[in-house]
Each structure stands twice: as structure tokens, then as C-alpha cells.
């Protein structure tokens, strides 16, 4: 099938903007990466886990759910002219846990990290390598908890350094004594 944008631009140069690939991977500076690879397939998995609890009468109730991180699998075809350099670039970013933003037709997925990068080398893909990049969303949480003690007198503490204990008096010793242990 002939691309309409390319056909129109061949007849009227510059009439239409060049076709933009709707699926792309960007680094944290929003620069497109792995441009040399041809994206073959994208599989996006958005899922949740329901929390189930048994109750006294034997039934199981589900009272809430947790949204899980987004998993994305992208299949790339790396051609023979540059598959070694592109594969090394992917591997370096896999090892360094680089975060990416992935744009697809249905949405933009931020903070994606490569978690696995299996690849296929066989005779059916003559001059290339198929790399399946598996991404998982990294959820970054910032704690904003403030502590307030139950007793107001405990709200402010003073660093008094190391303290030396004192010898117990007779009343304290009597309270500490029990029927099994007698102080003489």
C-alpha cells in the first residue's frame, strides 16, 4: 500500500508534513532513541490485583485493588548495517537502568525501564536481529508523612548525649524483687 503523505509530497514537495511514527521511545530529555530499529509489534499490559480476604462464614470478599506497574513489550528489527551498535546501546541502557517515555497510539507511558532484552537470531531474519524489549514502569514515591506524638510533652526532644545510670535505692530495689529472686 502506498503512503498518501509520501505520494502527495512527491507531487507537491513540502505540501504535507512528513509522516510521524506514532510509536516511539524517548529518553528523559525527550530525545528519540533506538531510531535505527524498526518497531514490529507493541504489547501493552495495564493490570491490577484485587485483594481478597476470607471471612468467618467461609466466603471470600474483595474489598479493594492495587493498580500494578504498566508492562510494555516492544519487538524491534535491527538491520545488518548497524545492529551491533544499536544492540550495544540497548544493552548499556539496560545495565544502567535508564528510564524512558514510550509513546504509542493509545497513550504516553513514562518512567519505563528495560527489565529484559531477549533477542532472536535465525535464518528467517537474514540480515538482522529481532530484539524484544520488555519495559516495566518505575513508580517513584515521595514520603510526606509528618509525625505528631500522642503526648505533647514528647513533641520536643533534647539530645543529652550518653547518660550514666544511677544506683537503685531501697524502694526501687524492693519493687524489682520478686518471689523467685531475692536481693540480700
Amino acid at each position: 500500500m502506498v503512503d498518501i503523505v509520501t505520494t502527495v509530497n512527491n507531487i507537491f514537495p513540502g505540501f504535507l508534513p512528513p509522516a510521524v511514527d506514532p510509536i516511539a521511545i524517548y529518553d528523559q530529555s525527550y530525545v528519540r532513541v533506538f531510531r535505527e530499529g524498526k518497531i514490529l509489534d507493541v504489547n501493552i499490559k495495564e493490570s491490577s490485583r484485587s485483594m481478597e480476604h476470607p471471612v468467618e462464614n467461609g466466603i471470600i470478599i474483595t474489598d479493594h485493588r492495587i493498580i500494578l506497574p504498566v508492562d510494555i513489550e516492544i519487538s524491534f528489527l535491527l538491520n545488518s548495517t548497524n545492529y551491533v551498535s544499536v544492540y550495544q546501546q540497548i544493552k548499556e541502557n539496560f545495565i544502567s537502568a535508564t528510564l524512558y517515555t514510550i509513546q504509542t497510539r493509545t497513550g504516553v507511558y513514562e518512567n519505563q525501564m528495560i527489565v529484559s532484552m531477549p533477542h532472536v537470531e535465525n535464518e528467517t531474519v537474514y540480515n538482522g536481529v529481532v530484539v524484544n524489549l520488555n519495559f516495566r514502569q518505575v513508580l517513584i514515591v515521595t514520603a510526606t508523612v509528618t509525625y505528631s506524638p500522642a503526648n505533647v510533652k514528647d513533641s520536643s526532644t533534647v539530645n543529652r548525649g550518653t547518660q550514666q545510670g544511677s544506683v537503685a535505692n531501697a524502694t526501687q530495689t524492693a519493687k524489682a524483687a520478686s518471689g523467685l529472686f531475692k536481693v540480700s
Side-chain angles (χ1 to χ4, degrees), residues 20-34:
V20 177
D21 191 3
I23 301 170
I25 302 173
Y26 299 97
D27 64 9
Q28 292 296 301
S29 302
Y30 294 102
V31 175
R32 188 165 176 192
V33 294
F34 315 136

Side-chain angles (χ1 to χ4, degrees), residues 158-166:
V158 176
N159 185 1
R160 298 183 344 180
T162 305
Q163 300 294 309
Q164 181 65 33
S166 59

Side-chain angles (χ1 to χ4, degrees), residues 4-184:
I4 293 177
V5 173
T6 304
T7 305
V8 170
N9 279 335
N10 286 339
I11 298 170
F12 305 105
F15 184 76
L16 293 176
V20 177
D21 191 3
I23 301 170
I25 302 173
Y26 299 97
D27 64 9
Q28 292 296 301
S29 302
Y30 294 102
V31 175
R32 188 165 176 192
V33 294
F34 315 136
R35 295 181 76 106
E36 299 85 5
K38 171 68 176 151
I39 296 176
L40 302 175
D41 189 28
V42 177
N43 183 10
I44 302 165
K45 181 181 176 188
E46 296 182 64
S47 58
S48 66
R49 178 179 299 146
S50 60
M51 298 291 112
E52 299 175 346
H53 309 282
V55 292
E56 291 82 13
N57 62 3
I59 64 169
I60 296 176
I61 61 168
T62 302
D63 56 0
H64 67 285
R65 68 183 179 132
I66 297 172
I67 304 294
L68 298 175
V70 177
D71 290 326
I72 300 175
E73 181 180 340
I74 299 178
S75 296
F76 279 98
L77 175 61
L78 306 178
N79 64 24
S80 63
T81 59
N82 55 10
Y83 69 81
V84 174
S85 63
V86 175
Y87 185 79
Q88 287 304 319
Q89 179 187 5
I90 291 170
K91 190 170 186 176
E92 288 171 8
N93 291 323
F94 166 70
I95 292 170
S96 66
T98 304
L99 295 179
Y100 297 100
T101 299
I102 300 175
Q103 173 188 329
T104 66
R105 290 183 183 109
T106 58
V108 175
Y109 303 93
E110 295 183 345
N111 294 331
Q112 296 287 324
M113 178 175 56
I114 300 173
V115 292
S116 67
M117 48 180 285
H119 68 280
V120 177
E121 297 180 23
N122 61 26
E123 294 297 322
T124 59
V125 183
Y126 174 65
N127 276 334
V129 175
V130 176
V131 179
N132 296 311
L133 295 182
N134 295 304
F135 294 88
R136 174 158 293 156
Q137 182 182 23
V138 176
L139 300 174
I140 300 171
V141 177
T142 305
T144 57
V145 177
T146 57
Y147 172 73
S148 59
N151 292 333
V152 178
K153 67 177 185 166
D154 295 332
S155 64
S156 177
T157 59
V158 176
N159 185 1
R160 298 183 344 180
T162 305
Q163 300 294 309
Q164 181 65 33
S166 59
V167 178
N169 60 28
T171 308
Q172 292 170 333
T173 304
K175 284 183 180 178
S178 68
L180 298 175
F181 177 74
K182 293 282 186 190
V183 177
S184 46

